Amino acid sequence: MTASLTCRKVASLEAGSVYAWETAEGAAGNLLIDPGGSIARPCTPEGIAFGDMLLDKNTGNMEHPDPDPGLRRTFLIAASAIFQEAGRWGRLPDKITRTYW
């Protein structure tokens, strides 16, 4: 089985960068990456963070995971892909596409 993920930066705000993500399976959402590029949180398309779930790349820990395992998994995959590309390029990417088997 092949799965894919696409993330694209849709806004740069004072609160950070907003990414829209979607999978080939139909899941979609938004992430807010803080201005320091180390904290990812679920957010609205306007960049307003919601819920308590967050991923801190500096510690590698997820805090307050969402009870929905599908949402939690796709959030982790999207945030990890953004952080990996930022590490490779030295800046937050504009667009990311990943394919998984």
Side-chain angles (χ1 to χ4, degrees):
M1 181 172 122
T2 301
S4 66
L5 167 77
T6 302
C7 300
R8 69 187 189 315
K9 189 187 298 187
V10 294
S12 293
L13 310 170
E14 190 173 312
S17 297
V18 178
Y19 284 85
W21 60 264
E22 60 186 319
T23 67
E25 296 76 30
N30 296 284
L31 292 175
L32 177 66
I33 307 292
D34 75 317
S38 62
I39 305 288
R41 301 182 63 108
C43 72
T44 66
E46 297 80 25
I48 300 168
F50 61 83
D52 294 328
M53 183 168 60
L54 66 88
L55 177 64
D56 183 341
K57 82 167 189 170
N58 293 324
T59 63
N61 289 334
M62 175 185 268
E63 297 180 17
H64 314 288
D66 192 280
D68 178 348
L71 177 62
R72 188 172 56 240
R73 180 178 182 273
T74 52
F75 168 78
L76 281 171
I77 290 170
S80 296
I82 293 166
F83 288 149
Q84 286 172 351
E85 285 301 304
R88 287 178 59 195
W89 296 101
R91 62 176 174 76
L92 288 172
D94 292 327
K95 185 174 181 182
I96 303 164
T97 301
R98 294 279 191 270
T99 301
Y100 302 92
W101 288 270

